[in-house]
Amino acid sequence: MEFFEESIILSGEDDLIRLLGIHDKNIKIIKSYFDVNILVRNGEIKVTGEKSKAESVCKILRDMINVIDTEGEISDQKVVYLIEANKTNYNIDYNEILKDVIVTSASGRVIKAKTVGQKRYIDMINSKDITFGIGPAGTGKTYLAVAAAVNAFRKKEVERIILTRPAVEAGEKLGFLPGDLQDKVDPYLRPLYDALFDIMGIENFMKNVEKQLIEVAPLAYMRGRTLDSSFIILDEAQNTTNEQMKMFLTRLGYGSKAVITGDITQIDLPGDKKSGLKSVINILKDVEDIGFMFFHTSDVVRHKLVQDIIKAYERFEAK
């Protein structure tokens, strides 16, 4: 077994504290993944261990330093992501991921891709007329699509933003909900409202809704329409039937762009209905200017437990 040793010297005490985390939390996370020795002394971190493992840890530590230089801090969530990403792609350049700003929110917060998968997704949205974002919860499929839509709207690349979802019950019945039809379907559209509120601000969002420049509506409302110069997002597409998916995709007009998001492991359709999202992967896989982005658990940007939960379900279902 070939051993390896390398020292990483930090420029200041503050950088070292941010790198280590509270009570050395970040270093403990790294050591839970890699059997290496990490010694911290006098502003220097020395990594010793089996060559491939120690080299990976040094690469992760340098990536962490780059994140701190760019963002001023690093969360334990990002530490876990850098570990997962380096396990699958040793040559990852995290600075490249952090470089491009998708859009700035109403509060001034800069929205960027946080993972390699998210960066590929945004690049695909920018270069393709139709993009499918498929993967587990927490990968930013919907939020990033909304961010890209707002960016295109602000740049006047499109005249309207249209967001839609199928109103399919997830173990609940629409009929039992109070109010008229709009009141009944609004809960299904809430994640889309939340993303728009966060990025555009409520006041700006409401003004554009009044001008009919932004529309959030159930999928059934799309039938019979031709959507020109629009950025259209179909969310929760795993709950569309084949007929609904075909109907939606054929609404696309001139100067428009569409993003379809969904998780094929969370289908709420009745047992005799086939998911339009599952079918379309094979139907359109060879059509030019349509992109498919398949997210993985390493792209989950919620609490680390979300990754663990998804992996546990995958193992259970594999049995």
Side-chain angles (χ1 to χ4, degrees):
M1 184 185 294
E2 186 179 357
F3 274 80
F4 176 87
E5 181 176 286
E6 183 175 338
S7 294
I8 297 173
I9 300 173
L10 283 93
S11 57
E13 184 69 22
D14 288 345
D15 286 345
L16 180 62
I17 291 169
R18 283 193 287 264
L19 184 70
L20 299 179
I22 299 171
H23 303 306
D24 296 343
K25 184 178 182 180
N26 295 339
I27 299 301
K28 289 173 183 174
I29 291 172
I30 294 172
K31 291 182 78 171
S32 71
Y33 281 83
F34 296 94
D35 183 19
V36 296
N37 184 47
I38 302 175
L39 180 65
V40 181
R41 183 176 295 165
N42 299 326
E44 180 181 325
I45 299 177
K46 183 180 288 185
V47 180
T48 309
E50 191 270 316
K51 190 173 189 297
S52 63
K53 294 176 182 177
E55 285 181 337
S56 292
V57 168
C58 288
K59 173 67 168 58
I60 290 162
L61 287 169
R62 285 192 289 270
D63 285 339
M64 290 168 62
I65 292 168
N66 287 336
V67 173
I68 292 168
D69 288 343
T70 305
E71 299 188 340
E73 59 182 5
I74 187 165
S75 64
D76 53 351
Q77 178 192 71
K78 275 196 180 140
V79 174
V80 171
Y81 171 70
L82 288 173
I83 293 169
E84 294 284 354
N86 274 272
K87 281 164 66 178
T88 56
N89 180 5
Y90 186 77
N91 295 316
I92 179 178
D93 185 348
Y94 203 74
N95 269 348
E96 273 301 305
I97 298 172
L98 292 173
K99 186 174 67 176
D100 296 330
V101 175
I102 303 168
V103 73
T104 303
S105 74
S107 63
R109 182 169 58 88
V110 171
I111 298 169
K112 302 179 180 181
K114 295 181 179 179
T115 73
V116 174
Q118 288 189 352
K119 178 69 165 61
R120 286 179 56 208
Y121 181 51
I122 289 297
D123 289 345
M124 198 175 288
I125 290 172
N126 290 335
S127 63
K128 304 284 187 183
D129 285 343
I130 297 177
T131 301
F132 288 85
I134 302 169
T139 49
K141 305 182 297 294
T142 302
Y143 190 85
L144 291 177
V146 172
V150 172
N151 183 51
F153 181 70
R154 285 178 179 171
K155 289 182 175 179
K156 302 191 184 303
E157 294 171 356
V158 296
E159 295 175 3
R160 292 184 297 169
I161 297 174
I162 299 172
L163 301 99
T164 185
R165 273 183 150 198
V168 174
E169 295 102 335
E172 301 164 83
K173 296 296 181 184
L174 277 172
F176 290 110
L177 295 172
D180 59 18
L181 178 61
Q182 192 62 45
D183 292 329
K184 290 175 188 291
V185 298
D186 267 356
Y188 291 93
L189 305 171
R190 179 52 53 190
L192 300 175
Y193 285 122
D194 289 345
L196 280 169
F197 290 167
D198 184 48
I199 298 169
M200 297 192 79
I202 295 177
E203 187 176 337
N204 194 22
F205 167 77
M206 294 306 297
K207 283 181 182 176
N208 284 296
V209 168
E210 287 173 13
K211 295 176 183 176
Q212 297 185 331
L213 299 178
I214 293 179
E215 181 180 348
V216 185
L219 181 58
Y221 287 27
M222 299 299 112
R223 189 173 297 279
R225 301 173 63 182
T226 300
L227 306 173
D228 291 327
S229 193
S230 302
F231 197 118
I232 315 142
I233 299 172
L234 170 59
D235 192 33
E236 297 289 336
Q238 74 276 5
N239 288 329
T240 60
T241 63
N242 286 327
E243 295 78 14
Q244 287 174 323
M245 179 62 75
K246 181 181 176 182
M247 179 274 290
F248 172 80
L249 292 172
T250 53
R251 300 307 94 201
L252 195 69
Y254 288 105
S256 289
K257 191 181 283 283
V259 180
I260 299 94
T261 69
D263 178 0
I264 55 177
T265 68
Q266 295 193 30
I267 297 170
D268 300 312
L269 291 169
D272 59 336
K273 296 284 187 181
K274 289 186 177 179
S275 167
L277 183 61
K278 289 186 77 171
S279 300
V280 84
I281 294 169
N282 291 319
I283 294 170
L284 299 181
K285 63 182 179 182
D286 297 321
V287 176
E288 194 175 350
D289 209 29
I290 293 180
F292 287 89
M293 177 63 212
F294 295 94
F295 290 94
H296 302 285
T297 51
S298 60
D299 293 303
V300 172
V301 291
R302 291 181 186 166
H303 194 288
K304 180 184 178 295
L305 271 177
V306 176
Q307 277 192 14
D308 296 337
I309 290 165
I310 292 167
K311 288 178 181 177
Y313 269 94
E314 286 174 350
R315 288 193 299 269
F316 176 78
E317 287 159 7
K319 293 178 182 179

